[in-house]
Amino acid sequence: MAEYDAAGSVPALRTDRLGRRYGKIWGLRECTLEVPAGAVAALVGPNGAGKTTLLEMVIGLLEPTEGRVSVFGESSRANTAGSLARVGYVAQDHPLYRDFTVADMLHLGRAMNPGWEQKLAAARIDALGIPAQRKVRHLSGGQRAQVSLTMALAKRAPLLVLDEPLASLDPVARLEFMRDVMAAAADAALTFLISSHVVSELERYCDWLIVLADGHVQLAGPADDLLGAHRLLTVPRATPDAELPGTVIDRADSDRHSTVLLRADAVQLAVQGHAGWQADPVSFEQLVMGYLQRPSAAATTGNPAPAAPRPGPSPKAVTR
Amino acid sequence: MFRFRLDGSSGVPPYLQLVHQVRQALLLGYLQEGDRLPTVKDVAADLVINPNTVVKAYRQLEHEGLAGGRPGQGTFITATSSPVPSQTQQDLRASLEAWLRAAEEAGMSDETVTALIAAARHDMRKERV
């Protein structure tokens, strides 16, 4: 169904029962997922869900406690040149050396990255109208974000990891930043892994979805397939979960009726012909929010990773 | 060059919105056989959407026989006009007008008519799923 590089039978990213423990607490556990080459994947979840832990293991900053990460089929080891070269990283809040000029930053990038494309970097900065001699401290938030993205693109890494790239940007800067990301995705068939709290905006950018909560993968796969496998069902209030044709992900009861986010296949929905029942397609945001609000005790059926015991309270809401 | 737009609040998946716009432009004559559609990259950057969404829309158009890719040149409109023969379209329109008159005589408001059409279409889609 999804359109990805036909030659990309080797996934851009694969994690296999990946876990990381901080003292006695697991930041991430039993994380098994794949992102195909050419995808733009959204990584969503509340604060403390394990997003940064996962990203840091993907980019090779953090050593896994258990399990494996591989990027384009090659195992990532923390702090090795090979791992670092395969992944470009745009960190949250776009940290750059504040007293460096933009040109200095590009020189630094060139010195530190063997595959660096100086021409591409300089042309991008020029096209963006950012003065190369201006110091980073004098750039706007949007310009800093664009310099960070330029550094990541010029590295020529096939997988780009963006950690909350939109958080510090105003709406116009967000759009301009994502415009360049979308163009880069089309142009160079790059694979993107983007963590974000801005769930409502992700639908148009991303074709792959990963939902993390409580250090576990709640949902992962092609966005279209996941949307197609869920329905918003309106049923009379008294209807018990067991009578519903699928797995109840989230349920909101009002006086007379209940709205249920249901994971169900087409066959299950086709046979349901109850009067007073209505099944509607689910939006990207409804799907994500449904999984984030899901009680933590519920079984994670249908996920690639086997369900593991999950300690701790369930996340009540996602921070925006 | 044809320009797409995107309605973020319509609830229609983005790729379907693109497909609908080409179909509609063909019906209205804004797009004609031989016209080149914008490149995937241009649409992705213009609308700030995932390029795979555009690829998917173009595949769907090819599947419907409305457009075709020429290697190294881009995607071109291949259909002459509407994929529905004009006689069929006229017949459908005549029966729709008759139905609309009947609805008006029965006292249905425009809003109710629109809601009824949406509901009927919704149920038909559901049966097909």
Side-chain angles (χ1 to χ4, degrees), chain A residues 3 38 179 204-205 207 224, chain B residues 45-47 50 52 56 59:
Chain A
E3 272 71 29
R179 189 188 302 284
R204 63 196 300 172
Y205 307 143
D207 50 20
D224 284 347
Chain B
D46 192 29
L47 300 181
N50 189 308
N52 291 322
K56 193 172 169 184
R59 289 235 176 111

Side-chain angles (χ1 to χ4, degrees), chain A residues 84-85 97 105-116 151 155:
Chain A
L84 296 174
Y97 293 99
M105 285 306 304
L106 297 192
H107 281 302
L108 182 68
R110 188 181 199 170
M112 292 178 73
N113 295 286
W116 183 264
M151 305 271 300
K155 214 179 135 176

